[in-house]
Each structure stands twice: as C-alpha cells, then as structure tokens.
Amino acid sequence: MPRTRRRTALTVAALSIPAVVLSGCGGGSGSANANEISYWLWDSGQQPGYQKCADAFAKENPGLSVKITQYGWGDYWSKLTAGFIADTAPDVFTDHLNKFAQFADLKVLQPLDELEPTKGITDSDYQEGLAELWKGQDGHRYGAPKDWDTIAIFYDKKKVKEAGITQEEMNNLSWNPDDGGTFEQAVAKLSIDKNGKRGNEAGFDPKNVVQFGWASDGAGEGWGQTQWSPFTGSIGWQATDKNPWGTKFNLDDPNFQKTIDWYFSLVDKGFMPTYAQRGGANSIGPDKQLQTGMAPMGFNGSWMISSYAAMEDADGNKIDVGIAPVPTGPDDKRSSMFNGLADSITTQARNPEAAAKWVAFLAGETCQDIIGESGVVFPARPKGTQLAIDFNKSDRGFDVTPFTDLVKNKETFLFPVTSNAADILALNTPAFAKIYLREADAATLTDLNTQLNDLFKVAG
C-alpha cells in the first residue's frame, strides 16, 4: 500500500471536535439507497480484490450492493472527519489502530457486538492478538479484523552483492547500540561518497554521500513503526505500561534513549539521509530511495510487497529486490511491530444491519481468501495469510517469510493503542523531529514522557 498507509493519527483539530457535534447527526452516509452500502478504503492496490469481495457479497445477499470509494491516505482521513460533521460519512470504512480509539470515544462507531450479523466475530478465528485490539475500553468491539503487517528489510540484491555482502549475511544481521553490530557494518559497506569511498573505508566523506547505506522513513513520531521500532522492540521496550489502553509511557527508559541516539547517529556518519536529503516536506519513502539509488536497503512493511515486486529503475529495468529479516538485537532476539487494520461501521449508516452483513463478510473466510490470493497484504485469518505466502512465492518469486515468521515465532509486539492519540502525535512529532534534525538528543524524550503522562492525569 502506498503507506503513508499506516502513518499517523488525524490532526489534533480534527479529532478534538466535540462528540456532541460528531454524533449529533444521523442517517446520511453518502448513499441515497439504504440497500447500497458505501465502503471507503485508502489503498488503491487492494481495491480490485475488495471489488471481487463486493461482487461475491451481492450474489450471496440479493437486493444488497456495495459501492467502494477509494481516496489517497491524506484525503481519506480529512474527508472521513468532514463526513462525520456533514452527515456524509460512509456506512463502512477501513479503520486504523491509531484512530479508532478516539472515534469510539466520540461515539461515531457502531458497536459490532450489538448488531446481529457481527455478533459472531470470534477472536480465535484470526491471528493471535489482532481481534482483541479492536475492543474499546467499554468492552465493545468496534472493528472486524481485516489484515495485519510486520516489518522487514527490502534491499537491492545487485548493490548488496557489489558491496560484498552475501544473502546469508543479510539474513543474519545483528545490531547493538554500542557499535551497531553486523547491521551497521553492512550499512557502512553500502554507503558511498562522491569519491567512490565506502563507509567502511578510510577517507569516507559523510558530508558528500551519493549512496546512503540505509533508507530513512522519517523521525518515527508514530511509534517508529518503519523507522526504529524493530530495534527498540528487540531490547524489550514497549511504549506504554500496558497495551491496549496504556496510560503511562516509557520514553524515559535509558536503554530506549540509547537505542534512539544510536539509530539517528547513522545520519551523522553519512549512512542515512538527513531530513533535507530525503526531500524535506516532500520527502520520499524507503521504496523510492531504493528505486532511485539513494539507498539500496531499508525497513518497510509487508503492505509494500507488491510495490517492491514490480519495482523498475529510471530506464525501465526491473530491480531485483530481496527481503531479509529485521536484525537480531543484543539478546539475539528479533522483534517487529504487529499492526492490523479492521472494518468499522459508522453511526450514520442508513442500514446498520446491511452494513454489518458486509463487515461480517469482509471478516469472513470467503473474502479473506480472495484478498489472500491477490497477495497484496496478509489477511487476518491464518488461511488467508497462507494463500498470500503461496501467491508471492509462485507468482512473484518473493519469499515473504521474513514477515510471516515473526508472527509464527511470536517475535512481535502490538501497535500501541491509547486514548488521546491525536494529542500524543502532536507532542511526539516535534520531539522526534528535533532528534532526526540533529538539534537534540534522546535525553530530551524524558520531558516528552512527562508531557504524555500528564495527558492522562488531565483526562482522569
């Protein structure tokens, strides 16, 4: 997915709209026909698969139909928020863990366990831990599990080989916050300055780099999912005291801060592009950095598999991309954030029972198998996941087990789900940006930690 997909929360202004304003409207979902279910998603890559699901649903439910609308990530959330205010929100939409908590608090989501078609959603039918995340603090379920993702390393096989790094070495990288381990050694070898010196050679100029060894996906204000979370996760760090619904934060942890300082030191060493070098406000992601030759290796999520599989260089030549596991940490453990999407029903749905039938179908085996066979993402049901693994191997020649083994081996931690998500993002963004810009070090996160904890004292 063009991900941006899992980036960050809605703006503070949008999610600070009083609940009475958002829930005071009723009954307008952008579809004049109560038997036509309006469904919004943001991923154009998944739209064809979900159209197949919609067609199958209509055959199974005569008289009902689904109208799918796709918006890009940025427009998606602004239009959704505007829709809640103007009474034009869809019946059903693709929801994100960093957003549903406040939507539920604002009472714009239907509790799925109160609608007959979705009452039967069972946690055990999905990958372990996914379904539980979509339950609010009131115990109601507000999202039906849709898909999941983890993080791995995508890399340009040709450039890795030119640097003298073998595939076996790529599959067994390790890191530590003292010298970076074999991970940093590989990153150094892949970094090249304007004189052709590599980062592990004497005379390398970190101020004049033409190829960075490691792609940057920004500062990581959204809990570092595709930036530093595999490193902080491998030392056992968690953002909050419990998940979901933590109220105390751990950004003052010395080991966490040491890891963050090490990670962003890659910028100082010329191994990772600066904020300005990756495009500033118009920044390009790790996929485009690999495609353009800026950086041949970097973290990204499983939602990007299809993009990397079809990647070509500027001359139209296919780039041979490999996938490697996240590095092991100081305790020889791998770790990845385990995130998932779900489908939610709005309180503006014209026909809640029909909308619930569609959501139950989306979360059911038929649709999840269709999505699995498309290979775009890993469906929440284990069978759908296996279909996606098989498709990638047979049709793309991609071994995607660096993503799926993390789940199989229980080497994951769940995306932090909290209240006050927009306020947290508003505080995190400048604090982590300053570290990435090299204007502050990680010790400043202790003050941020206090600010985050104070949000819940005020709320309490």
Side-chain angles (χ1 to χ4, degrees), residues 218-244:
E221 63 273 11
W223 302 121
Q225 184 178 9
T226 54
Q227 296 87 11
W228 40 261
S229 72
F231 300 117
T232 58
S234 70
I235 61 171
W237 183 81
Q238 297 287 320
T240 53
D241 57 337
K242 60 180 180 178
N243 194 22

Short mmCIF file of all heavy atoms in Angstrom, two decimals, residues 218-244:
data_model
loop_
_atom_site.label_atom_id
_atom_site.label_comp_id
_atom_site.label_asym_id
_atom_site.label_seq_id
_atom_site.Cartn_x
_atom_site.Cartn_y
_atom_site.Cartn_z
N GLY A 218 11.87 8.79 7.99
CA GLY A 218 11.50 9.90 8.86
C GLY A 218 11.88 9.69 10.30
O GLY A 218 12.70 8.83 10.66
N ALA A 219 11.28 10.51 11.16
CA ALA A 219 11.66 10.56 12.57
C ALA A 219 11.01 9.47 13.41
O ALA A 219 11.53 9.10 14.46
CB ALA A 219 11.32 11.93 13.15
N GLY A 220 9.86 8.99 12.98
CA GLY A 220 9.21 7.92 13.74
C GLY A 220 8.28 8.40 14.82
O GLY A 220 8.10 7.72 15.84
N GLU A 221 7.65 9.55 14.59
CA GLU A 221 6.74 10.09 15.61
C GLU A 221 5.54 9.20 15.87
O GLU A 221 4.91 9.28 16.92
CB GLU A 221 6.29 11.50 15.21
CG GLU A 221 5.49 11.58 13.93
CD GLU A 221 6.36 11.73 12.69
OE1 GLU A 221 7.59 11.57 12.79
OE2 GLU A 221 5.80 12.00 11.62
N GLY A 222 5.20 8.32 14.91
CA GLY A 222 4.09 7.38 15.10
C GLY A 222 4.56 6.06 15.66
O GLY A 222 4.23 4.99 15.14
N TRP A 223 5.39 6.12 16.70
CA TRP A 223 5.96 4.97 17.40
C TRP A 223 6.97 4.20 16.57
O TRP A 223 7.23 3.04 16.80
CB TRP A 223 4.87 4.03 17.93
CG TRP A 223 3.94 4.73 18.87
CD1 TRP A 223 2.59 4.88 18.76
CD2 TRP A 223 4.30 5.42 20.07
NE1 TRP A 223 2.09 5.61 19.80
CE2 TRP A 223 3.12 5.96 20.63
CE3 TRP A 223 5.50 5.66 20.74
CZ2 TRP A 223 3.09 6.71 21.80
CZ3 TRP A 223 5.49 6.41 21.90
CH2 TRP A 223 4.30 6.91 22.43
N GLY A 224 7.56 4.88 15.57
CA GLY A 224 8.73 4.35 14.87
C GLY A 224 8.50 3.09 14.10
O GLY A 224 9.45 2.32 13.87
N GLN A 225 7.27 2.86 13.63
CA GLN A 225 6.93 1.57 13.02
C GLN A 225 7.92 1.14 11.93
O GLN A 225 8.43 0.02 11.96
CB GLN A 225 5.52 1.60 12.45
CG GLN A 225 5.07 0.26 11.90
CD GLN A 225 3.66 0.27 11.38
OE1 GLN A 225 3.04 1.33 11.26
NE2 GLN A 225 3.13 -0.88 11.06
N THR A 226 8.17 2.01 10.96
CA THR A 226 9.08 1.67 9.87
C THR A 226 10.41 2.41 10.00
O THR A 226 11.16 2.52 9.03
CB THR A 226 8.45 2.00 8.51
OG1 THR A 226 8.02 3.37 8.51
CG2 THR A 226 7.26 1.10 8.23
N GLN A 227 10.70 2.89 11.19
CA GLN A 227 11.97 3.58 11.43
C GLN A 227 12.79 2.80 12.46
O GLN A 227 13.65 2.01 12.10
CB GLN A 227 11.72 5.02 11.93
CG GLN A 227 11.02 5.92 10.92
CD GLN A 227 9.50 5.82 10.99
OE1 GLN A 227 8.92 5.24 11.91
NE2 GLN A 227 8.83 6.39 10.01
N TRP A 228 12.51 3.00 13.73
CA TRP A 228 13.36 2.42 14.77
C TRP A 228 12.69 1.35 15.62
O TRP A 228 13.32 0.75 16.48
CB TRP A 228 13.88 3.53 15.69
CG TRP A 228 12.89 4.62 16.03
CD1 TRP A 228 12.80 5.86 15.44
CD2 TRP A 228 11.84 4.58 17.02
NE1 TRP A 228 11.78 6.59 16.00
CE2 TRP A 228 11.17 5.83 16.97
CE3 TRP A 228 11.41 3.63 17.93
CZ2 TRP A 228 10.10 6.14 17.80
CZ3 TRP A 228 10.34 3.92 18.76
CH2 TRP A 228 9.70 5.16 18.69
N SER A 229 11.41 1.06 15.39
CA SER A 229 10.71 0.13 16.29
C SER A 229 11.29 -1.29 16.30
O SER A 229 11.26 -1.95 17.35
CB SER A 229 9.21 0.10 15.99
OG SER A 229 8.94 -0.56 14.78
N PRO A 230 11.82 -1.83 15.17
CA PRO A 230 12.42 -3.17 15.27
C PRO A 230 13.63 -3.21 16.20
O PRO A 230 13.93 -4.25 16.80
CB PRO A 230 12.81 -3.49 13.82
CG PRO A 230 11.86 -2.69 12.99
CD PRO A 230 11.71 -1.41 13.75
N PHE A 231 14.33 -2.09 16.31
CA PHE A 231 15.48 -2.02 17.22
C PHE A 231 15.01 -1.90 18.67
O PHE A 231 15.44 -2.67 19.54
CB PHE A 231 16.39 -0.85 16.86
CG PHE A 231 16.94 -0.90 15.47
CD1 PHE A 231 16.63 0.06 14.53
CD2 PHE A 231 17.78 -1.94 15.08
CE1 PHE A 231 17.14 0.02 13.23
CE2 PHE A 231 18.30 -2.01 13.79
CZ PHE A 231 17.96 -1.02 12.87
N THR A 232 14.12 -0.96 18.94
CA THR A 232 13.66 -0.77 20.32
C THR A 232 12.84 -1.97 20.78
O THR A 232 12.87 -2.33 21.96
CB THR A 232 12.84 0.52 20.45
OG1 THR A 232 11.73 0.49 19.54
CG2 THR A 232 13.70 1.74 20.15
N GLY A 233 12.13 -2.62 19.86
CA GLY A 233 11.38 -3.81 20.23
C GLY A 233 12.28 -4.96 20.61
O GLY A 233 11.96 -5.75 21.51
N SER A 234 13.44 -5.06 19.96
CA SER A 234 14.34 -6.19 20.23
C SER A 234 15.05 -6.07 21.57
O SER A 234 15.67 -7.03 22.03
CB SER A 234 15.36 -6.33 19.10
OG SER A 234 16.29 -5.27 19.11
N ILE A 235 14.97 -4.91 22.21
CA ILE A 235 15.52 -4.79 23.58
C ILE A 235 14.40 -4.92 24.62
O ILE A 235 14.62 -4.69 25.81
CB ILE A 235 16.29 -3.47 23.79
CG1 ILE A 235 15.38 -2.25 23.60
CG2 ILE A 235 17.50 -3.40 22.86
CD1 ILE A 235 16.02 -0.92 24.01
N GLY A 236 13.20 -5.27 24.14
CA GLY A 236 12.08 -5.49 25.05
C GLY A 236 11.32 -4.24 25.43
O GLY A 236 10.45 -4.29 26.31
N TRP A 237 11.60 -3.13 24.74
CA TRP A 237 10.94 -1.87 25.10
C TRP A 237 9.52 -1.82 24.57
O TRP A 237 9.23 -2.27 23.47
CB TRP A 237 11.73 -0.69 24.52
CG TRP A 237 11.16 0.65 24.89
CD1 TRP A 237 11.34 1.33 26.06
CD2 TRP A 237 10.31 1.47 24.07
NE1 TRP A 237 10.66 2.52 26.03
CE2 TRP A 237 10.01 2.63 24.82
CE3 TRP A 237 9.77 1.33 22.79
CZ2 TRP A 237 9.20 3.65 24.32
CZ3 TRP A 237 8.95 2.34 22.29
CH2 TRP A 237 8.68 3.48 23.05
N GLN A 238 8.61 -1.29 25.38
CA GLN A 238 7.23 -1.04 24.99
C GLN A 238 6.91 0.43 25.26
O GLN A 238 7.40 1.02 26.23
CB GLN A 238 6.28 -1.92 25.78
CG GLN A 238 6.47 -3.40 25.54
CD GLN A 238 5.97 -3.85 24.18
OE1 GLN A 238 4.93 -3.40 23.71
NE2 GLN A 238 6.71 -4.74 23.54
N ALA A 239 6.09 1.02 24.42
CA ALA A 239 5.79 2.44 24.55
C ALA A 239 5.02 2.77 25.82
O ALA A 239 5.22 3.84 26.42
CB ALA A 239 5.00 2.92 23.33
N THR A 240 4.14 1.86 26.25
CA THR A 240 3.27 2.13 27.39
C THR A 240 3.34 1.00 28.42
O THR A 240 3.88 -0.08 28.15
CB THR A 240 1.81 2.30 26.93
OG1 THR A 240 1.44 1.16 26.14
CG2 THR A 240 1.66 3.56 26.09
N ASP A 241 2.75 1.25 29.56
CA ASP A 241 2.79 0.28 30.66
C ASP A 241 1.95 -0.96 30.37
O ASP A 241 2.22 -2.04 30.90
CB ASP A 241 2.32 0.93 31.97
CG ASP A 241 0.92 1.53 31.89
OD1 ASP A 241 0.46 1.84 30.76
OD2 ASP A 241 0.28 1.71 32.94
N LYS A 242 0.95 -0.84 29.51
CA LYS A 242 0.15 -1.97 29.07
C LYS A 242 -0.41 -1.64 27.70
O LYS A 242 -0.44 -0.47 27.29
CB LYS A 242 -0.99 -2.27 30.06
CG LYS A 242 -1.96 -1.11 30.25
CD LYS A 242 -3.04 -1.46 31.23
CE LYS A 242 -4.01 -0.28 31.42
NZ LYS A 242 -5.11 -0.62 32.35
N ASN A 243 -0.85 -2.67 26.98
CA ASN A 243 -1.37 -2.46 25.65
C ASN A 243 -2.46 -3.49 25.37
O ASN A 243 -2.21 -4.69 25.50
CB ASN A 243 -0.25 -2.59 24.60
CG ASN A 243 -0.65 -2.06 23.25
OD1 ASN A 243 -1.55 -1.25 23.13
ND2 ASN A 243 0.03 -2.52 22.20
N PRO A 244 -3.68 -3.07 25.02
CA PRO A 244 -4.05 -1.69 24.76
C PRO A 244 -4.37 -0.90 26.02
O PRO A 244 -4.35 -1.43 27.12
CB PRO A 244 -5.30 -1.84 23.89
CG PRO A 244 -5.92 -3.13 24.36
CD PRO A 244 -4.76 -4.02 24.68
#
